[in-house]
Structures are given as structure tokens and as C-alpha cells.
Amino acid sequence: MPSGRMTVVVNAKAGSGSGPAAISAALRAAGVDGEVLAVRGDRLGATARDAAGAGAAAVVAAGGDGTVSAVAGALAGTATPLGVLPLGTFNHFARDLGLPLELEEAARVLARGAVREVDVAEVNGRVFVNNSSVGLYPLAVRDRERRRVLPKAVAMALAVARTLARLPVFHLRLRVGGVALPRPTPVLFVGNNLYDLDLFAPQRRAALDGGALSVFVVRHATRAGLAGMALRAAVGRLDTARDLEALAVPELVVDARRGRLLVSADGEVFRAATPLVYRARPRALRVLAPPPGSAP
């Protein structure tokens, strides 16, 4: 375990019910010496880098997967460990790391946990800890962001419906080990490590240090085909040969007819120049996790 003062970084505009005061109280109760910094979302990474450069014993991301991803991107490749207080809606990275989801229990992990080395992945140099995608999902997120007046879940459901109505198909060319694979598809999914085969709820990974990217390419390019796939997924009968092409690779290059593509990485959407270069970075991130042998 690192010794010394930790820096906790929280998004000042996040919707979590646990603000800086509650986080500070949980740290004190766990015996953690830490300061809590509430910053704008676009300052999360820079604040984490500054804290690591100033000698923080660890930099703790307090929030959801977006906050964790921003802080992890600043710490990957350094000796400074990442701590996580999972205060988001889904907390995929924290769950796969085996962290408790209650604030007080997660704070105790910071006090007596162990340092593990886990993988990150990157697309065009941008780090992500969970997954990235091209196609329907980033388009739906961008559509949802234009309608912020609606509740988030309602806005997302409407955005998905509108995106499916258009059903854009992306003519991608995947390059794996020097082999070009033309793939017209509405969805390309790239995960950091291997995910359970459930594209509609890709939330679980057995390991975070396998050194591979999990790649899913949806084979269907019609609404009827996607609807059938969704139905099979809902009843647990997803057919890999029929519905998806699945790959496990250390690196993937994605080219397209367009010079730029809308891409998501850990829920954040941005435009990236093609070709997209995805890479696994094995054991590039040090994280504070429950001690070996502890109950999940």
C-alpha cells in the first residue's frame, strides 16, 4: 500500500448524491489521509496529473466510469496508483475490479487494499478502461445530448429509437495482423479485455489483465436483422455465428470511407480521424483493489 496523503478528484457537476463533504467524512472514518478536489469535468485529467506530479500517494477517482476513465488516462504508465470511489450509475470498472459499491466500504479499500496492475486500452492515443464503439451507440449518445431538457433515460430511449429508424451502416475495413477485413456493420464494439458475449449488456469481464482487446462486429445491417438479434439476446440465445463476429486481438486498425468517425470511449463521444488505431496496454495502470482472498 502507498503511504502518504491521497488526492480525491470528483466532478463538480456530477449527479451523484455523495458530494465532497460525504466523501471527506468517509475518508476520515476509514483512516485515510486525503484531500478532496471538486473540479470541472474537462479538468479531471489535468488535476490528476498535477496531483501525481506533486507526489500524491494515490489519486482517487470519485464518480462513475467517465470520471474513472479520465483519471486513469492521466495515471496510465506512471507509478501513481488509481483509487476508485464508485459513485456512478453503473460502475462497470469498479465491479470488475471487485470493489464494494458502498462509499464507506470503498473508502476502507483505499486504507487497506492492495496495489494491482491492470490493463488499459487506447484509441488514437486516448485511454479507456471499459470499452469503445463506432456506430449506433455514439450516434444515439450525441442525439441524447441535444435533448438535455428530458430525463436522461427517456432522452436515451428516444435517441436509440431515432438512430435505429435511420439505421446507418458503416463500411469499415478492419486490419488485424496485416490482414484487411472489409466489414459493413451498424456497430463495432472494442473492449478492454474479454467481455461476456452479450453485446446488449457488455458489463462483465473475468480478468482485467489479459492483455487483449475484445472486438464484436454486428453482422446485421437491416432493422429486421437487428430486431431478431435483440430478441435472441433477451432470451439468452445470442448466436455468435449468426449475429456477431468476435475477435480477441492486441491491436486493431479501423479504416473507413470517411476521414473522421464519431467514436465513444467509456461513454464520452468525440470525433476521431481515421484510421482508428486501437491498442491494448498490458498492466499499464496501478490500481488499489481489495486484498487477495477478500470477499467480493
Side-chain angles (χ1 to χ4, degrees):
M1 276 296 301
S3 60
R5 190 171 177 82
M6 298 184 186
T7 298
V8 181
V9 183
V10 60
N11 188 337
K13 292 189 176 180
S16 168
S18 298
I23 294 170
S24 296
L27 295 178
R28 286 194 299 272
V32 175
D33 179 15
E35 63 172 342
V36 181
L37 303 178
V39 300
R40 296 196 319 261
D42 60 357
R43 292 290 302 165
L44 291 167
T47 303
R49 278 190 294 273
D50 291 345
V59 180
V60 180
D65 287 310
T67 298
V68 172
S69 183
V71 175
L75 300 182
T78 76
T80 304
L82 165 73
V84 178
L85 295 176
L87 304 178
T89 303
F90 299 110
N91 303 304
H92 294 157
F93 182 75
R95 290 176 186 273
D96 290 344
L97 193 59
L99 284 172
L101 300 184
E102 297 76 20
L103 174 58
E104 293 74 17
E105 289 295 323
R108 281 192 274 274
V109 170
L110 300 180
R112 52 174 204 266
V115 177
R116 283 179 52 191
E117 292 181 342
V118 301
D119 306 342
V120 298
E122 63 180 31
V123 52
N124 289 12
R126 179 170 179 150
V127 167
F128 59 94
V129 295
N130 293 319
N131 55 70
S132 171
S133 66
V134 174
L136 293 180
Y137 179 74
L139 287 173
V141 171
R142 180 58 56 87
D143 184 285
R144 183 201 68 197
E145 290 175 347
R146 297 193 186 105
R147 295 165 175 82
R148 292 182 180 274
V149 295
L150 296 174
K152 189 173 182 179
V154 174
M156 190 62 184
L158 292 174
V160 169
R162 281 188 291 265
T163 305
L164 284 173
R166 301 199 313 268
L167 192 62
V169 175
F170 294 79
H171 295 271
L172 305 177
R173 185 169 65 254
L174 312 185
R175 281 185 272 151
V176 179
V179 178
L181 306 172
R183 293 294 185 268
T185 180
V187 180
L188 170 71
F189 172 96
V190 182
N192 173 33
N193 279 279
L194 303 185
Y195 275 81
D196 290 345
L197 190 59
D198 186 351
L199 190 68
F200 289 89
Q203 299 174 7
R204 302 302 302 171
R205 288 165 286 185
L208 292 173
D209 56 1
L213 303 173
S214 181
V215 181
F216 295 145
V217 184
V218 171
R219 297 185 185 277
H220 302 289
T222 66
R223 279 181 286 277
L226 277 178
M229 177 180 170
L231 181 60
R232 287 187 291 277
V235 297
R237 299 181 64 85
L238 200 64
D239 184 339
T240 305
R242 179 180 181 181
D243 296 320
L244 298 171
E245 181 175 5
L247 305 169
V249 296
E251 182 172 322
L252 173 72
V253 179
V254 181
D255 215 338
R257 296 174 181 175
R258 308 177 188 184
R260 298 175 71 82
L261 287 173
L262 201 63
V263 180
S264 72
D266 289 339
E268 299 297 319
V269 175
F270 56 96
R271 290 198 177 275
T274 56
L276 306 178
V277 180
Y278 284 95
R279 292 192 179 96
R281 292 177 56 185
R283 300 180 182 271
L285 182 66
R286 304 179 78 227
V287 296
L288 299 177
S294 62

